[in-house]
Amino acid sequence: MIVRDRPHGLQLFFTLRGSVLPHIAGKLATCTVLALLVTLSHGVLYHSKITLTSVPFTLIGLALAIFLGFRNSAAYDRFWEARRLWGDLVHRSRSFARQVQSLPLFDKPVGPEDQDDPRRLLMLRTIAFASALRHQLRGSDCNADMQRLLPADEAAAMNASTRGTEFLLRHMAEDLGALVRAHKLHPALAANTDQSLSAMAAVAAGCERIKQTPIPFAYTLLLHRTAWLYCFLLPFGLVDTVGYMTPFVVAIVAYTFFGLAALGDEIEEPFGTLDNHLPLDALCREIEVSVLDTLGVRDLPPRLAPVDSRLT
Amino acid sequence: MIVRDRPHGLQLFFTLRGSVLPHIAGKLATCTVLALLVTLSHGVLYHSKITLTSVPFTLIGLALAIFLGFRNSAAYDRFWEARRLWGDLVHRSRSFARQVQSLPLFDKPVGPEDQDDPRRLLMLRTIAFASALRHQLRGSDCNADMQRLLPADEAAAMNASTRGTEFLLRHMAEDLGALVRAHKLHPALAANTDQSLSAMAAVAAGCERIKQTPIPFAYTLLLHRTAWLYCFLLPFGLVDTVGYMTPFVVAIVAYTFFGLAALGDEIEEPFGTLDNHLPLDALCREIEVSVLDTLGVRDLPPRLAPVDSRLT
Amino acid sequence: MIVRDRPHGLQLFFTLRGSVLPHIAGKLATCTVLALLVTLSHGVLYHSKITLTSVPFTLIGLALAIFLGFRNSAAYDRFWEARRLWGDLVHRSRSFARQVQSLPLFDKPVGPEDQDDPRRLLMLRTIAFASALRHQLRGSDCNADMQRLLPADEAAAMNASTRGTEFLLRHMAEDLGALVRAHKLHPALAANTDQSLSAMAAVAAGCERIKQTPIPFAYTLLLHRTAWLYCFLLPFGLVDTVGYMTPFVVAIVAYTFFGLAALGDEIEEPFGTLDNHLPLDALCREIEVSVLDTLGVRDLPPRLAPVDSRLT
Amino acid sequence: MIVRDRPHGLQLFFTLRGSVLPHIAGKLATCTVLALLVTLSHGVLYHSKITLTSVPFTLIGLALAIFLGFRNSAAYDRFWEARRLWGDLVHRSRSFARQVQSLPLFDKPVGPEDQDDPRRLLMLRTIAFASALRHQLRGSDCNADMQRLLPADEAAAMNASTRGTEFLLRHMAEDLGALVRAHKLHPALAANTDQSLSAMAAVAAGCERIKQTPIPFAYTLLLHRTAWLYCFLLPFGLVDTVGYMTPFVVAIVAYTFFGLAALGDEIEEPFGTLDNHLPLDALCREIEVSVLDTLGVRDLPPRLAPVDSRLT
Amino acid sequence: MIVRDRPHGLQLFFTLRGSVLPHIAGKLATCTVLALLVTLSHGVLYHSKITLTSVPFTLIGLALAIFLGFRNSAAYDRFWEARRLWGDLVHRSRSFARQVQSLPLFDKPVGPEDQDDPRRLLMLRTIAFASALRHQLRGSDCNADMQRLLPADEAAAMNASTRGTEFLLRHMAEDLGALVRAHKLHPALAANTDQSLSAMAAVAAGCERIKQTPIPFAYTLLLHRTAWLYCFLLPFGLVDTVGYMTPFVVAIVAYTFFGLAALGDEIEEPFGTLDNHLPLDALCREIEVSVLDTLGVRDLPPRLAPVDSRLT
């Protein structure tokens, strides 16, 4: 995610960090060169003048506007729902840690040194859950984080499992069940903590849904095909009206259409590490700090700060 | 569902898998041939020149844009809500299995070998529920799956019932009631597990709603009629301006309109097995693997992988 | 609700069932005749030529597009929310029946013959609730259905009450309270069943909201007035450009505008019995079959099937 | 709220009740007179011909369409959310009354004559809550209603309090607490009734939110300024094309723009007593009748009926 | 937040308070001066006439409308969701205070003088929570407010913590746990109050989400770049049609585009203290008054009133 002030003046035109311009530079060049050729030949192809006028572009533009507008909203909705799910995870992790720390049938709160207290492990697993989900969504290896957070044997078992997030929730549920059995947790409150676990499972399932189900492929095809046809034909429609400004106008139009399409492509799958993706590292750190603070740890790790205006 | 990377360059124009082009090829050909005839006759019909200019198309285009934009959003919302419901089913199935496995008043977790333990059957029925819902939505026969998952008599009874998903939930509720009666389940936690069952029932009712209630038929009529009239008349409006490019422009305009309409027709009812439908097989397998993993099964079946870029 | 396959080819233009064409035939004829008169007089009114060109229609069209687009979305949202509420009722009825059937403190399930078992009556009242709500929304008489489902005295009292749905929920709540008092129902589970009743009350209140609060009347006025003015004036704007095609173009434009407006009028209040209204009869039957199946009835009534492509 | 059938034919153009026309008559007249002056002078101002053509209006119209469309949706969403909140209040009031009437640990239901039964007062306070909220939202005096519904001392205290709705909920919560203390209410069911109170508090907070937070003032400025500029300049853009029809076209365009803006202004704050505002009186009466019916009152007051097509 | 009546007549054009005009005055001047220069040179740049006509602006306008419309909706949704979250906090704070005040196992309500009663501190912390969240969102120092509301040692500890809102919730949860342990709070009701705390944590996480995750930076770039290019080029497109009115038209178009963009920039991050931001001070005061009233305080502080039409 790009975190920076809005650029002003000329700076606005020369900012590349976070811009989609680099991703569409090739397409833009293709369209502009083609427009240049058409302009130089005055729209004549094989001795035959091709006249399109602006009318067809108004008509096709109608459909294109629907595609682009819809596509853009759908992509942003995915981005924002993903962020909302992770915001929910932040709040659920904190609430679960708070619930565990304030369980009424224990005499005193658990601290970071109480190695044998099941509450300590329940909290650490909350951190591990967020971390495992992040690695799963990004396709990276969660082993180092698990080693750091969990007991050695559990980290090994977790590593062997192909379903890390469920593995952790299950172990948390088993420990809570053991607490009920040991009369350390009222059933009515156990239902409450179990709902926190279910909410965390809902976040994981929601993120999987966004990751695994792209906007139907046919949209992408329809949108990109129409945008390409539009930009290829546009010079023939403009050259008789705006003359040698044609390549310039085509470049701007292509910039807006391909820019919007490329931005949609990027934020449609928001869990990666591109410029406009979600800062999952920072969110996991936020969860870790919150839970460790609840556990009573003194030296909390710092929040992640943007590097070169960029938060991962 | 089509799972593939975005095609680049010329490949973009020759991809048929997942495209709506095959579905609208007939309509496109009709429109283009008609436009060709109009162009060859210079818009003269029965010795009388028909001049339309582009003005009527801008006016009709206004209404058509509203139809297409609305229709498209409504269809995609149905698609995405259906996916959301199944995502919810994934999470509820996992949570229910976790709740059953961690019920506090049992001494130890249930395993795949504990044939007589009611918890084992509760979990298998969770898998069967997803499977039965899938078969119901696709109109296929669930008998093989039920035989595989349930005890022989229950599978037979299930097969005889016309209301499979409710049958399963009812049996699950009865077993949970028996556990409460046997003091193996606290009432407060029973309320919690019952809410999981209700959530699964809500998924089934939501899917039925989408399947049984199409977008009102009058929209379909209005949209298709207007689109056809528009494309039939368009050559008369263009021929005086763009000349022999008319069939080409008509083809592109028809492609965008009919393409969008056809895509809407396809994703409006997302439970089928067409290219852009939801991968219910893969989702059922996901649920099965999750629940079996919770049950302690070692040799988990693999996740389904796309065949020829296609996940069913 | 119209349930039929999408018509193809010429059939598309001659389908009347489910179409809004019959509702707007008069308006269409008026506009077309007027356009014909204007065309024949070449736009001259009282010896004075009225020239409008297409410019005003582009400007007014802007506002009209906003009205139509908004109106259409708002109407469809009401339609779909109403369907969602009834889908919720389906699921809540099933879940309530399941909860009642699996109450842990009874020794065995209740059957259709157990006249004195309070659980049987609780289930029948669930069916009666859906039926009473349907009759209330459609303004029809629910007496026959109540006689069929409830004990004679309760049916009579219900008929005397002006608030049928609340009457039923209250009796259900009283019976559940009596079960708690008789130690047949845990309070924690009673809270759970009471939430099912509240959810059914929420459905009833939601349906009343949609029925009693139309889209503000001023919208209807603004929309219809603007559409009429637009179509009345359109011939003056077109006659100089498209000549004798004017009535034809006006007819198409009027068809799209009035068609969209009429469709909005129809689905805005979706509880009636018009072609595009919700199939409340079929939904009530669905609820009835579900609950009777849970009660253990063998000879279940069939699902309602469309008559002449139409489900009521 | 206007409750009437859709007017037909000429009646459509002469309906004033519920129309925004009276609110914008002055603006319309101003614009039309100005357009008349411009038409008479053929667009010449101080000997200098001002030519605008329609191009600028297409460009400005783009932004204006965004403003108007957005503003309109935002205003309607507020209207509909307000209605939804009151619909929720209807259902919560009924459910709370039902819960109170069926509290399991009382031997028999409470009736209207049981002056000392705390359940009777709990129900009456439910009615008072809706009434107090209505008076608060409309800035009217709730004293008469409180005197009618509550015991004299509580009505006096309520009147002295500046926070009437919270006062009532607090007294209801205290009485429920006393019932728990007196072993007349299980804690698990007390949690259930408390959630009903919280839901009523949520309705009050939601209504306050809508009332206190208008759409940001800058939107109103931007929208009205642009609309005025547009309509003032429009005659200069039209006079050369449509000649003496200019004032007529300007009047229609101004009618659509100002009409939509005025309608937005009206429904944006839906709690007043204007034609298109919500019928809070009727909704309060509905709640009162529902709760009194639950309490067992025989002579229920009638539902409010529209007076001159208008429900307040 | 600006709280004032809608200005009328000429006043509409001279209102600056709450307007975005001051923020975009520089941009407007730049565009207008440029347009003036182009007009004076009749569109000739370096002896070469640049003709653009209005066609390119219609095409680019298409994309610009999508950007502006989307951006505007997304920004307003953030604004309104933020207000909704704070409205939720108002209701949750009131409900939590009500729950605490009516806990059944205490003999009498707590008052402002009962320094040792844990319920008094629970309520004060509710006020402190809202205040701490406000300071966190605005980056201001919460120490004075904490000193005022909390015991000295807790205020000091709170000040030392970097995670103030979580600190408070944790202390509230611990006190509730102690009440359960002391048999002053039923576990079933404890689950209920804990849900209130979780809801407050959800508000905090939601506000953090809005504050920390701006609309993706690439949108801002794309939108501002296109708007600038559009306004820079517009004079070349208009000068041949509207002549010396060009600078005036450009100024209006630039006003609408930059005005909408600037308004989006402002309300996108609604927690600041600009004119169109949310009145967090007033909302915190509202919460404080509500909770103190529930605690039984007589001399309640007044609600905050707008200063110079402005509520902070």
Side-chain angles (χ1 to χ4, degrees), chain B residues 178-219:
Chain B
L179 289 180
V180 174
R181 219 155 33 234
H183 297 289
K184 297 300 244 184
L185 177 57
H186 291 283
L189 288 169
N192 205 32
T193 48
D194 183 75
Q195 282 160 17
S196 291
L197 295 187
S198 290
M200 290 162 76
V203 169
C207 289
E208 283 172 29
R209 166 168 51 83
I210 291 175
K211 184 176 165 67
Q212 289 168 3
T213 312
I215 294 177
F217 181 67
Y219 277 112

Side-chain angles (χ1 to χ4, degrees), chain E residues 197-208:
Chain E
L197 295 187
S198 291
M200 289 161 76
V203 169
C207 289
E208 283 172 30

Side-chain angles (χ1 to χ4, degrees), chain D residues 40-192:
Chain D
L40 293 176
S41 74
H42 298 283
V44 176
L45 206 70
Y46 298 113
H47 305 285
S48 133
K49 168 82 179 169
I50 295 181
T51 312
L52 279 179
T53 78
S54 70
V55 170
F57 298 96
T58 311
L59 304 181
I60 304 175
L62 193 80
L64 196 54
I66 298 175
F67 295 168
L68 279 174
F70 159 71
R71 169 70 198 296
N72 185 43
S73 301
Y76 179 73
D77 285 351
R78 291 165 61 91
F79 170 84
W80 193 237
E81 188 190 357
R83 181 61 184 84
R84 191 184 293 271
L85 286 167
W86 271 85
D88 203 41
L89 187 58
V90 169
H91 133 60
R92 297 297 182 176
S93 303
R94 287 178 186 161
S95 293
F96 182 75
R98 192 193 68 234
Q99 287 166 346
V100 166
Q101 185 60 288
S102 64
L103 284 181
L105 300 182
F106 284 87
D107 290 332
K108 63 183 196 52
V110 63
E113 310 307 325
D114 300 323
Q115 298 281 348
D116 297 334
D117 195 308
R119 293 177 292 174
R120 178 176 165 277
L121 190 50
L122 280 169
M123 291 198 206
L124 291 178
R125 283 193 196 117
T126 313
I127 305 172
F129 179 85
S131 188
L133 181 58
R134 169 175 55 107
H135 285 296
Q136 177 187 321
L137 292 171
R138 289 192 165 164
S140 51
D141 183 14
C142 69
N143 199 16
D145 274 327
M146 295 306 113
Q147 299 267 352
R148 184 169 64 83
L149 293 163
L150 301 178
D153 55 338
E154 189 165 330
M158 164 89 192
N159 205 32
S161 162
T162 57
R163 320 186 66 80
T165 52
E166 299 167 47
F167 175 95
L168 287 167
L169 290 181
R170 211 156 55 225
H171 279 69
M172 290 157 94
E174 278 164 18
D175 279 10
L176 288 169
L179 289 179
V180 174
R181 218 153 34 234
H183 297 288
K184 298 299 246 184
L185 179 58
H186 289 283
L189 288 169
N192 206 31

